[in-house]
């Protein structure tokens, strides 16, 4: 009933809804599109129109290595710096992004302002006197198609192998991804998450703002709750939260017992 009233009262002439009104008079003189996922259809429709109106080009203030491989139909904004790397078609790189050497970026990638891709990872070895020596950071960064990287995100290059962001992953603002990390397909990593080196994260995960230890594995379809500190590997399909992060069932029992103290 509430949705029917919204359809009846709205000034809009085209409506996307999952509700079929009981009375056709409710949507008289309106175009009603019925779908099981109105938000998704709206997003696809609007994005299609925006893409058709986009103007591709390279801003004259951008600094690009002469051996960089830049595809046709890209947008490279003001003061972008690109080293000896590859940029795929229909990719958008906003202002003040820094892309180091040995970075390969696929098609339909969006990188927001201030992101740094391919800087050296934080890897050091101490000698007998405790003096740190930098471990060689010889790898690169591979960013597959349809990835989005938020403003001021930092993705380090690998030490001996590449850091990899798989197809369709979405990296929010202010995320740090260390060397040799792999982010799986269609995984979301939310703002202010820190992922330490050589961690592997599976497909279709939701990583809320959290800290994740190095050299662990997170399976597919995992949810990491807000403020979690993940110190051990997480099996597929699990929801973990807390410090240290625990399965949600175990975490809830501990919280219940603490309230009883």
């Amino acid at each position: 009933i509430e949705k029917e009233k919204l359809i009846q009262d709205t000034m809009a002439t085209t409506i996307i809804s999952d509700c079929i009104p009981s009375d056709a008079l409710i949507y008289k003189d309106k175009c009603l599109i019925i779908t099981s996922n109105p938000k998704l259809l709206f997003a696809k429709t609007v994005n299609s129109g925006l893409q058709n109106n986009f103007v591709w080009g390279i801003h004259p203030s951008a600094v690009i290595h002469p051996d960089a491989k830049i595809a046709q139909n890209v947008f490279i904004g003001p003061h972008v710096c690109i080293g000896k790397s590859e940029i795929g078609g229909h990719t958008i790189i906003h202002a003040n992004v820094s892309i180091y050497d040995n970075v390969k970026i696929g098609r339909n990638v969006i990188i927001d302002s201030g992101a740094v891709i391919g800087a050296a990872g934080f890897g050091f070895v101490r000698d007998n006197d405790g003096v740190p020596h930098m471990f060689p950071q010889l790898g690169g960064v591979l960013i597959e198609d349809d990835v989005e990287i938020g403003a001021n995100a930092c993705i380090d290059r690998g030490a001996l192998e590449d850091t990899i962001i798989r197809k369709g992953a979405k990296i929010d603002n202010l995320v740090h991804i260390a060397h040799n990390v792999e982010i799986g397909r269609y995984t979301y990593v939310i703002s202010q998450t820190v992922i330490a080196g050589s961690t592997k994260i599976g497909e279709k995960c939701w990583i809320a703002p959290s800290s994740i230890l190095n050299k662990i594995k997170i399976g597919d379809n995992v949810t990491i709750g807000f403020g979690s500190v993940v110190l051990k590997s997480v099996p597929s399909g699990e929801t973990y939260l807390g410090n240290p992060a625990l399965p949600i069932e175990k975490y809830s029992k501990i919280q219940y017992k603490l309230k009883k103290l």
Side-chain angles (χ1 to χ4, degrees), residues 104-170:
K104 186 174 181 180
I105 297 174
R107 293 175 53 83
N108 304 311
V109 173
I110 299 174
I111 303 177
D112 279 317
S113 297
V116 179
I117 314 295
F122 192 80
F124 295 89
V125 180
R126 293 187 185 274
D127 62 21
N128 292 336
D129 296 321
V131 176
H133 299 265
M134 187 170 187
F135 190 86
Q137 303 293 300
L138 305 177
V141 177
L142 171 61
I143 297 173
E144 295 186 344
D145 297 345
D146 305 319
V147 169
E148 296 188 26
I149 298 169
N152 295 316
C154 294
I155 302 176
D156 292 343
R157 66 177 180 265
L160 302 179
E161 299 178 349
D162 290 344
T163 300
I164 302 174
I165 313 298
R166 295 294 185 191
K167 177 181 172 67
K170 310 301 179 186

Side-chain angles (χ1 to χ4, degrees), residues 1-258:
I1 295 175
E2 183 178 344
K3 289 184 179 180
E4 289 188 355
K5 189 174 189 311
L6 287 171
I7 293 171
Q8 185 175 26
D9 294 345
T10 183
M11 299 287 289
T13 56
T14 301
I15 303 158
I16 301 174
S17 176
D18 59 357
C19 168
I20 302 177
S22 56
D23 185 351
L25 291 176
I26 290 175
Y27 54 95
K28 182 182 179 183
D29 301 325
K30 296 173 182 176
C31 175
L32 183 60
I33 302 171
I34 302 300
T35 175
S36 60
N37 194 334
K39 191 173 183 179
L40 177 61
L41 180 58
F42 176 83
K44 286 183 174 181
T45 302
V46 174
N47 286 336
S48 176
L50 293 174
Q51 289 169 359
N52 292 336
N53 295 326
F54 198 85
V55 178
W56 306 107
I58 299 175
H59 195 276
S61 67
V63 178
I64 301 175
H65 193 285
D67 293 330
K69 297 179 181 179
I70 310 295
Q72 298 293 318
N73 294 335
V74 299
F75 175 83
I76 298 175
H79 307 293
V80 169
C81 292
I82 299 176
K84 190 175 179 180
S85 292
E86 298 183 28
I87 311 295
H90 294 86
T91 284
I92 299 171
I93 302 174
H94 289 286
N96 299 305
V97 169
S98 295
I99 298 173
Y100 286 60
D101 292 345
N102 200 19
V103 174
K104 186 174 181 180
I105 297 174
R107 293 175 53 83
N108 304 311
V109 173
I110 299 174
I111 303 177
D112 279 317
S113 297
V116 179
I117 314 295
F122 192 80
F124 295 89
V125 180
R126 293 187 185 274
D127 62 21
N128 292 336
D129 296 321
V131 176
H133 299 265
M134 187 170 187
F135 190 86
Q137 303 293 300
L138 305 177
V141 177
L142 171 61
I143 297 173
E144 295 186 344
D145 297 345
D146 305 319
V147 169
E148 296 188 26
I149 298 169
N152 295 316
C154 294
I155 302 176
D156 292 343
R157 66 177 180 265
L160 302 179
E161 299 178 349
D162 290 344
T163 300
I164 302 174
I165 313 298
R166 295 294 185 191
K167 177 181 172 67
K170 310 301 179 186
I171 312 299
D172 199 359
N173 302 335
L174 299 167
V175 168
H176 175 69
I177 297 174
H179 53 191
N180 298 104
V181 167
E182 182 174 343
I183 306 294
R185 290 157 51 97
Y186 308 114
T187 282
Y188 292 0
V189 182
I190 312 306
S191 177
Q192 301 188 50
T193 294
V194 176
I195 303 174
S198 300
T199 288
K200 310 297 182 187
I201 297 178
E203 298 184 357
K204 300 179 182 176
C205 296
W206 178 279
I207 312 296
S210 53
S211 300
I212 300 177
L213 188 66
N214 61 314
K215 298 181 181 179
I216 66 172
K217 293 184 179 180
I218 293 176
D220 299 333
N221 299 296
V222 166
T223 298
I224 303 297
F226 186 93
S228 297
V229 178
V230 184
L231 303 178
K232 296 181 180 180
S233 294
V234 178
S236 293
E238 296 285 343
T239 296
Y240 270 52
L241 70 162
N243 180 8
L246 300 169
I248 188 169
E249 298 84 1
K250 187 173 183 179
Y251 176 84
S252 298
K253 288 179 181 178
I254 291 172
Q255 293 302 308
Y256 176 79
K257 289 179 180 178
L258 287 174

